[in-house]
Amino acid sequence: MFVCLGNICRSPTAQAVFAARAAYAGLDVTVDSAGTGGWHEGQPPDIRTQEHGRQRGYVFTNMRARAFTDEDFTWFDYILAMDEKNLDVLKSRRPDDYNGHIGLLMDFARDLDVKEVPDPYYSGASGFVRVLDLIETACSGLIAHIKAQSAKPSQVS
Ligand code: 4NP
């Protein structure tokens, strides 16, 4: 589960990139995204997100923005925020019995000294290209991490 603020730019990009890479890697995973804010509920991803993503072959069909719900803690082993503010929101809502991983997506991009995927909403095209670059790198690390975890008895860390 990938989480940003509006669920129309960064987290749908992460969902599309991770879904493509998980399929390529043969991982059987459920992938979704949500926003900590619900202003864009029901909307497709931002047209700029779709256009830049499509240039790299990613698919955004049938995606609609929604707000993160407490029920999501039931379904997802990894809940990954795009930035510190959204991570703080997730941590504040974390149920005591949630045993999964809540963290930053960029923590899986170990070779990059970058903690956050910057909000591209008010940026130009370069902001959306940067979002894709960062998310592609982090998703490669996340795939490698999950593959390594699934080879161990305990699946989540
Ligand atoms: P996202 O980008 O969190 O990556 O989906 C944003 C989209 C909309 C707004 C902020 C960020 N907004 O303020 O409407």
Side-chain angles (χ1 to χ4, degrees):
M1 161 59 75
F2 299 103
V3 181
C4 61
L5 181 60
N7 193 212
I8 55 169
C9 297
R10 292 166 292 175
S11 62
T13 300
Q15 180 181 348
V17 170
F18 187 77
R21 290 180 179 216
Y24 184 76
L27 289 180
D28 182 18
V29 288
T30 300
V31 190
D32 204 350
S33 64
T36 56
W39 312 283
H40 297 280
E41 193 105 44
Q43 293 178 11
D46 187 286
I47 192 68
R48 297 164 295 176
T49 294
Q50 294 196 49
E51 283 174 4
H52 287 281
R54 263 199 228 107
Q55 286 175 22
R56 297 193 191 185
Y58 299 114
V59 179
F60 297 87
T61 321
N62 296 330
M63 283 192 197
R64 292 289 180 271
R66 71 170 177 90
F68 183 85
T69 71
D70 290 341
E71 207 181 326
D72 287 317
F73 288 108
T74 308
W75 303 119
F76 295 99
D77 295 325
Y78 290 83
I79 302 177
L80 300 174
M82 299 299 124
D83 58 35
E84 302 272 8
K85 273 191 189 160
N86 288 298
L87 178 61
D88 286 347
V89 172
L90 293 172
K91 284 181 172 171
S92 73
R93 291 174 62 173
R94 176 186 197 137
D96 289 342
D97 61 353
Y98 181 69
N99 293 317
H101 175 106
I102 298 177
L104 291 170
L105 172 62
M106 289 312 297
D107 284 347
F108 291 93
R110 298 227 161 104
D111 294 341
L112 294 183
D113 190 18
V114 177
K115 299 290 275 180
E116 302 188 313
V117 182
D119 181 353
Y121 195 65
Y122 296 105
S123 75
S126 63
F128 288 84
V129 171
R130 173 95 174 132
V131 163
L132 276 161
D133 288 343
L134 291 174
I135 286 175
E136 284 185 331
T137 302
C139 281
S140 294
L142 180 57
I143 293 277
H145 172 84
I146 291 174
K147 273 181 152 179
Q149 288 299 307
S150 62
K152 295 179 189 172
S154 169
Q155 302 243 326
V156 176
S157 74

